[in-house]
Amino acid sequence: MNLRAAAAKIICDVMDGVSLADALPARSVQFNDSRDQAFLQAVSYGVCRGYFRLDAILKRLLDKPLKTKDQDIYCLMLVGLYQLTDMRVPAHASVAETVAATSVLKKIWAKGLVNAVLRRFQRSAQEINAEIQQHESAIYSHPVWMIDMIRQDWPADWKDILVANNQHPPFSLRVNQKNNSRETYLKKLTDAYLIPETQAGIVLKDATDVRQLPGFAAGDVSVQDGAAQLAAELLGVAEQERVLDACAAPGGKTTHILELMPRLEKLVALDHDETRLLLVKENLQRLKLTADIICADAGNVEQWWDGKLFDRILLDAPCSASGVIRRHPDIKMLRQVDDMVRLAKEQLLLLTALWPLLKPGGLMVYATCSVFSLENTRVLESFIAATPDVKEEKINASWGRECAIGRQILPGMHNMDGFYFACLKKMKKSFVRNDHAY
Ligand SMILES: C[S@@+](CC[C@H](N)C(=O)[O-])C[C@H]1O[C@@H](n2cnc3c(N)ncnc32)[C@H](O)[C@@H]1O
């Protein structure tokens, strides 16, 4: 197999709706050399990151569109263009290898086309680059609908958000403070610094294989972005409490909650994805922690709830993931504008279904890794309007931006992922508002 052909297949997978996190490992297994795997990763992430720019270039280089069955050749040309625009591979080698990949894809007829397109780009790069600068989608390499939504929600920040989304993310760690203080752990690393907004976060300047991290197997550290670490901190669990992590997989926040307070009465880690729950189990084992793992639809409470109220609930809701595009650039290709209303409905449904499970006086933390108000403040506005016994607890923090409801970290802010949090207190009966909507 040729690396460029494999990269083209990965991009095709993403165009067909498969996530990069699934497509890349599946197509990398055939390469044994770690340098080949690293090249494949760099190219496939790079093409997804630059997709809307590269696509605009390619459309200008082709005389007519390709047939649907030749999507692999289209993707191969994107791979070729990415090497010419963004990689330090000698241009002649990039072109030659990309053209050679047509045989591996069993499309020898496309040799001439791929060669002509890449050479045309080499001749007219300046002109084409100037032309695409007229289009925001190409300039920022995002779909138009996403740019419009981000601009509408964040009129003063939209450009910064789009630029941050195209940066490489930091390699962030969470020190297990049950095992060691982060200052002690920091000393074991070279070229690393604390994330001051968090209690346990560290950024390691150069990404590494997690197995090489000191004490990883022994559970001394986990990989987690700084913003994601704020969820468990906000939940603020106490001894002997009953806690629900309603959308738990792969367990980043479940394990953090338990590291902060191992002596809970119970922590239920719920998710409807059986395969992802295996990762929760794996993470708990490595960190020597325990939770009750349940595979069920959180919104279908009768299916799984034992009838005992929870002191705290974390709802890390399924969302567009528009705040973590720098880690998952394929989101720009996978997400469609029509997904947004469906997601907002699902988020409101989960909030509404889980609220009765919270004790009066209890706290629910609603979190998303989204920057869209549609999934954040607007979901909460609807929920609060329809729920008499809820009161927002304002988050007083040094990080992020205060919103009408909740608090938002924008991508890249404090070198963190984009995340949204709101804390909802369940009022005791005597304090329930009587201005609710029904
Ligand atoms: C943002 S991820 C959770 C990340 C996790 N909290 C962590 O920190 O590792 C959202 C999760 O919600 C799960 N999910 C989505 N809809 C669900 C539902 N109706 N019931 C239970 N889990 C659901 C997905 O399978 C996914 O694992």
Side-chain angles (χ1 to χ4, degrees), residues 141 172 241 252 274 294 307 326:
S141 192
S172 307
E241 286 189 332
E274 214 169 328
I294 301 180
R326 57 187 195 159

Side-chain angles (χ1 to χ4, degrees), residues 127-254:
E127 200 181 298
I128 292 180
N129 282 331
E131 219 179 293
I132 63 168
Q133 286 304 309
Q134 307 304 312
H135 302 273
E136 278 174 357
S137 174
I139 298 171
Y140 298 108
S141 192
H142 276 67
V144 170
W145 71 266
M146 213 179 252
I147 297 178
D148 289 344
M149 266 183 84
I150 295 177
R151 181 171 25 216
Q152 200 169 16
D153 281 339
W154 302 101
D157 305 279
W158 66 278
K159 284 187 188 171
D160 292 343
I161 296 172
L162 298 174
V163 170
N165 285 349
N166 290 334
Q167 305 294 311
H168 288 259
F171 189 68
S172 307
L173 305 174
R174 183 187 81 227
V175 176
N176 180 358
Q177 292 178 302
K178 242 165 66 61
N179 292 12
N180 37 213
S181 77
R182 75 167 159 173
E183 284 69 22
T184 310
Y185 191 81
L186 185 69
K187 289 193 189 121
K188 299 181 187 175
L189 304 171
T190 37
D191 246 351
Y193 56 90
L194 303 182
I195 309 175
E197 292 78 14
T198 65
Q199 292 167 12
I202 287 181
V203 168
L204 186 57
K205 284 208 180 123
D206 293 316
T208 179
D209 180 341
V210 288
R211 290 164 300 186
Q212 306 301 320
L213 290 169
F216 182 78
D220 290 353
V221 71
S222 298
V223 175
Q224 189 179 42
D225 186 78
Q229 296 180 34
L230 298 168
E233 289 186 21
L234 288 171
L235 199 62
V237 289
E239 225 163 284
Q240 291 312 313
E241 286 189 332
R242 287 173 56 85
V243 180
L244 169 65
D245 185 355
C247 291
K253 301 184 186 72
T254 309

Side-chain angles (χ1 to χ4, degrees), residues 87-388:
M87 288 186 99
R88 269 175 282 168
V89 186
H92 61 274
S94 302
V95 174
E97 286 292 316
T98 308
V99 169
T102 54
S103 332
V104 183
L105 294 172
K106 299 198 172 57
K107 301 216 167 150
I108 294 176
W109 63 263
K111 244 187 178 104
L113 175 70
V114 174
N115 190 43
V117 161
L118 296 182
R119 294 207 182 279
R120 192 179 300 170
F121 177 70
Q122 287 181 297
R123 284 195 307 273
S124 50
Q126 227 177 353
E127 200 181 298
I128 292 180
N129 282 331
E131 219 179 293
I132 63 168
Q133 286 304 309
Q134 307 304 312
H135 302 273
E136 278 174 357
S137 174
I139 298 171
Y140 298 108
S141 192
H142 276 67
V144 170
W145 71 266
M146 213 179 252
I147 297 178
D148 289 344
M149 266 183 84
I150 295 177
R151 181 171 25 216
Q152 200 169 16
D153 281 339
W154 302 101
D157 305 279
W158 66 278
K159 284 187 188 171
D160 292 343
I161 296 172
L162 298 174
V163 170
N165 285 349
N166 290 334
Q167 305 294 311
H168 288 259
F171 189 68
S172 307
L173 305 174
R174 183 187 81 227
V175 176
N176 180 358
Q177 292 178 302
K178 242 165 66 61
N179 292 12
N180 37 213
S181 77
R182 75 167 159 173
E183 284 69 22
T184 310
Y185 191 81
L186 185 69
K187 289 193 189 121
K188 299 181 187 175
L189 304 171
T190 37
D191 246 351
Y193 56 90
L194 303 182
I195 309 175
E197 292 78 14
T198 65
Q199 292 167 12
I202 287 181
V203 168
L204 186 57
K205 284 208 180 123
D206 293 316
T208 179
D209 180 341
V210 288
R211 290 164 300 186
Q212 306 301 320
L213 290 169
F216 182 78
D220 290 353
V221 71
S222 298
V223 175
Q224 189 179 42
D225 186 78
Q229 296 180 34
L230 298 168
E233 289 186 21
L234 288 171
L235 199 62
V237 289
E239 225 163 284
Q240 291 312 313
E241 286 189 332
R242 287 173 56 85
V243 180
L244 169 65
D245 185 355
C247 291
K253 301 184 186 72
T254 309
T255 49
H256 191 196
I257 294 167
L258 289 164
E259 282 172 14
L260 288 173
M261 177 43 70
R263 294 176 305 283
L264 294 173
E265 184 192 317
K266 193 193 216 11
L267 188 148
V268 176
L270 186 85
D271 205 282
H272 68 175
D273 187 326
E274 214 169 328
T275 316
R276 283 169 65 86
L277 275 175
L278 293 176
L279 299 171
V280 178
K281 210 168 165 187
E282 216 171 83
N283 281 322
L284 286 166
Q285 269 167 4
R286 182 179 61 82
L287 294 157
K288 300 179 189 68
L289 299 165
T290 46
D292 288 19
I293 298 178
I294 301 180
C295 184
D297 175 358
N300 199 345
V301 171
E302 311 83 71
Q303 228 182 47
W304 59 269
W305 186 42
D306 64 5
K308 290 187 192 148
L309 295 171
F310 291 98
D311 297 283
R312 312 216 173 218
I313 298 178
L314 172 62
L315 173 53
D316 189 17
C319 70
S320 63
S322 54
V324 292
I325 285 174
R326 57 187 195 159
R327 291 193 192 278
H328 304 284
D330 49 328
I331 286 166
K332 296 188 288 188
M333 298 162 70
L334 294 170
R335 220 50 88 228
Q336 304 298 326
V337 66
D338 297 345
D339 296 335
M340 299 313 305
V341 172
R342 177 184 57 75
L343 282 165
K345 274 191 188 154
E346 204 174 328
Q347 289 148 359
L348 183 59
L349 189 145
L350 287 172
L351 263 173
T352 310
L354 295 172
W355 188 251
L357 279 56
L358 188 64
K359 263 185 200 164
L363 183 80
M364 181 188 274
V365 172
Y366 175 84
T368 71
C369 53
S370 169
V371 296
F372 297 139
S373 64
L374 190 66
E375 300 181 274
N376 298 334
T377 46
R378 280 162 68 187
V379 169
L380 289 169
E381 271 160 16
S382 305
F383 177 68
I384 291 174
T387 311

Side-chain angles (χ1 to χ4, degrees), residues 53-61 81 121 128-129 132:
R53 171 178 51 89
L54 298 168
D55 184 62
I57 296 175
L58 185 49
K59 290 217 164 85
R60 281 164 177 76
L61 291 165
L81 286 173
F121 177 70
I128 292 180
N129 282 331
I132 63 168

